[in-house]
Amino acid sequence: MASNFNIIWDEFSVPLRIFIKRRINNEQDVEDVLQNVFMKIYNNINKLEKLNNIHAWVYTVTKNTIIDYYRMQKHDSYLNELSEDIAICENLDEKTTINEISHCLIMMIQYLPEKYKQALTLTEIENVTQKQLADKAGLSVSGAKSRVQRARELLKEEFLSCCNLEIDGRGNIIDYEVKNLECNYCKR
């Protein structure tokens, strides 16, 4: 039980602190809410074996703890606003975030130089193997691999110039923020 809790702490403590901090301004209150979240997780750790999506469960516990915090503070006006924000947040789960980012990436691919656009479209979107790409483009297999790798690097550079990613302990993208307001690909 303690080892499961330690794993959850290692994976979620930083992203949850950021998540809470976006909703609560006072640093001491952020720490208190984070502590309450982990107390609830610790007290209900036995439910983990029955859960398919630990990530969703942890964030649901966190959202409910934030709501409890505002109820105790009797910030009714902010609680209503927060409830709407959390309702929206519940819809912006991990899959939605990935879908939004995927849309951005597909848009960015369209503006890559043609040979890189072709390489990524075929291999990443149409699931063509790199060997098949080599045959279609008249390249050696190593040439096709290099082209796909370079295309991925260009796409990554473009994406990171536009957006900041929030990543959990497993390396999964849990949220993103458009940092460049001039970015035409990723509008939230």
Side-chain angles (χ1 to χ4, degrees):
M1 182 164 129
S3 67
N4 284 344
F5 181 78
N6 291 338
I7 291 168
I8 292 172
W9 173 264
D10 291 342
E11 184 173 330
F12 289 101
S13 62
V14 172
L16 287 181
R17 182 175 283 111
I18 293 167
F19 183 82
I20 296 166
K21 202 171 189 176
R22 287 183 180 168
R23 288 151 182 85
I24 298 174
N25 292 329
N26 183 311
E27 188 65 37
Q28 287 178 323
D29 290 341
V30 168
E31 293 302 318
D32 289 345
V33 169
L34 183 64
Q35 182 179 8
N36 287 339
V37 166
F38 277 100
M39 285 174 48
K40 289 177 182 179
I41 291 170
Y42 183 81
N43 290 334
N44 294 289
I45 199 119
N46 57 342
K47 293 181 182 178
L48 284 179
E49 292 159 11
K50 300 173 190 170
L51 293 173
N52 293 332
N53 190 346
I54 293 170
H55 186 273
W57 178 72
V58 167
Y59 275 87
T60 299
V61 168
T62 305
K63 291 171 198 170
N64 290 336
T65 305
I66 293 169
I67 290 171
D68 291 344
Y69 162 81
Y70 278 106
R71 281 189 182 130
M72 290 180 64
Q73 300 296 318
K74 299 198 188 292
H75 290 290
D76 292 333
S77 62
Y78 188 75
L79 184 57
N80 290 336
E81 188 179 311
L82 180 69
S83 295
E84 289 173 18
D85 180 40
I86 288 181
I88 291 167
C89 235
E90 287 171 346
N91 293 328
L92 291 175
D93 62 3
E94 194 172 336
K95 288 180 183 174
T96 303
T97 299
I98 296 301
N99 288 338
E100 289 175 359
I101 291 171
S102 296
H103 176 73
C104 294
L105 292 173
I106 288 169
M107 295 294 293
M108 287 177 185
I109 289 171
Q110 301 308 310
Y111 293 95
L112 289 175
E114 189 59 38
K115 64 183 181 181
Y116 299 122
K117 173 183 170 181
Q118 177 194 36
L120 285 180
T121 301
L122 290 174
T123 59
E124 302 298 333
I125 298 171
E126 296 178 17
N127 294 320
V128 169
T129 67
Q130 290 182 3
K131 173 147 180 31
Q132 292 169 322
L133 169 65
D135 293 341
K136 270 191 174 188
L139 299 168
S140 66
V141 174
S142 65
K145 288 181 179 186
S146 293
R147 185 170 289 177
V148 169
Q149 187 62 34
R150 178 68 182 134
R152 287 176 181 161
E153 288 171 13
L154 289 172
L155 185 61
K156 180 180 177 182
E157 287 172 16
E158 185 68 25
F159 185 77
L160 292 177
S161 73
C162 181
C163 298
N164 287 322
L165 297 178
E166 187 175 328
I167 298 173
D168 68 13
R170 296 176 295 184
N172 297 318
I173 298 170
I174 57 175
D175 200 4
Y176 74 101
E177 176 181 53
V178 176
K179 68 180 175 184
N180 179 353
L181 298 178
E182 302 298 314
C183 178
N184 293 318
Y185 310 110
C186 305
K187 300 287 185 192
R188 272 196 124 167

